[in-house]
Amino acid sequence: MPRRVVVTGVGLLCPVGVGTEECWSAIRAGANGISRITAFDASQFACRIAGEITGFRPEDFVERKEIKKMGRFIQFAIAATDFAMSMARLRLTPEDAEQAGVYIGSGIGGFEVIEREHRNLLERGPGRISPFFIPAAIVNLASGYVSIRTGAKGPNSATATACTTSAHAVGDSFKIIQRGDADVMICGGSEAPVCPMGIGGFAAMRALSTRNDEPEKASRPWDKQRDGFVVGEGAGILILEELERARRRGAPVIAEIVGYGMSGDAYHITAPNEDGDGAYRVMRNALRDAGIRPEQVDYINAHGTSTELNDKIETLAVKRAFGEHAYKLAISSTKSMVGHLLGGAGGLETGVTALAIRDQIAPPTINYEFPDPDCDLDYVPNQARPVKIEYALSNSFGFGGTNGCLVLSRYREDQGAR
């Protein structure tokens, strides 16, 4: 029988808070984290809004001399790891270091570092490119730094699968522990895309909301007046442990991961298939892996981006995967509050799903004002709701047609109850 894998720590930082419980409290309250961009002058951009993190001080987590050596996404990953390790009450020792791994992804990596060093090249010449440029920017250095800081000597990897990045990182880590290649995995994702090229690139695709005069209402999944997603920044890191190890050390068990699915659309580089086939199949695959029936699921933390196509097609896929039970599900989108963290989204949202199970509460989808007849499920509009959650899904879909779905459950001693 595969080994059981539990979540013992969650580390979050995002536009509504720095720290797990601060973020979770704000998300439960339906707080808004979207505002006008302050990181750079966005006055000439079609989209001038984003989910920025305020109050983050990298020096609280990294020595000042080290800050310049790492992109902002790495700083976020380190901070979120600290929060997750603290919640899990986890400290690795030399004796267990080889059984602990790190798997942290990013869709883009050090985008602002690339911008800065390219500017140095053009304005000051190649001799002024920082020697820290490459390690500060490349995607796997979040995992690298976290491994060095924690002493984890087990599997060390990174995903870069667009907006499914950290869902894949968590799912792959679940499988690594399940098959016995590690006992502990520090996993998730981080992203810092609020920079001129990040905002400008997505705006050029006409993917972003241009509700610049009402940023707090711009991210509105499933609402009839949605006009695009809002870029956010932040990180979500989980500590996954083999159950018996977690029991032996008296670790808190927040939730259990019981299933993981992947699929590919094989359709279009940025648009989902109109029949929702890829999204349907990834949920089907995850449920099959978990060994549960669709009607056993109580809550879905949806991809829910606030774009015309995604919200309509994800709704269609949920109906196909769950049949009539789709109308009994509580479904919400964290992105309504914090924006789309791109490669960091799945880590944050899986962490939120674990906390929702812990506290038996479904977080809200804010800004839901005008129902769309194509989106007619229960999206937990505007206010959190107490919900009995035995099983929950976290969905992530990315450019290139890459999809990931995780199934989490309330922890029960008797695995046979599943």
Side-chain angles (χ1 to χ4, degrees), residues 146-158:
V146 167
S147 171
I148 292 166
R149 285 170 60 91
T150 60
K153 295 183 177 180
N156 187 299
S157 191

Side-chain angles (χ1 to χ4, degrees), residues 124-174:
R124 304 168 69 190
R128 301 311 296 266
I129 296 173
S130 169
F132 304 122
F133 166 43
I134 298 300
I138 57 178
V139 165
N140 76 300
L141 260 290
S143 281
Y145 270 105
V146 167
S147 171
I148 292 166
R149 285 170 60 91
T150 60
K153 295 183 177 180
N156 187 299
S157 191
T159 39
T161 47
C163 303
T164 316
T165 289
S166 46
H168 284 156
V170 175
D172 290 350
S173 295
F174 161 60

Side-chain angles (χ1 to χ4, degrees), residues 390-404:
E390 290 293 326
Y391 292 96
L393 267 58
S394 181
N395 282 342
S396 295
F397 314 134
F399 284 177
T402 179
N403 308 305

Side-chain angles (χ1 to χ4, degrees), residues 12 14 16-32 87 337-338 352 355-356 358-359 361 363-364 384:
L12 306 178
C14 66
V16 295
V18 176
T20 304
E21 296 300 343
E22 182 179 331
C23 287
W24 174 230
S25 178
I27 286 168
R28 288 199 317 269
N32 165 65
M87 178 182 283
M337 294 167 272
V338 306
V352 165
L355 296 170
R358 182 193 71 178
D359 294 350
I361 188 166

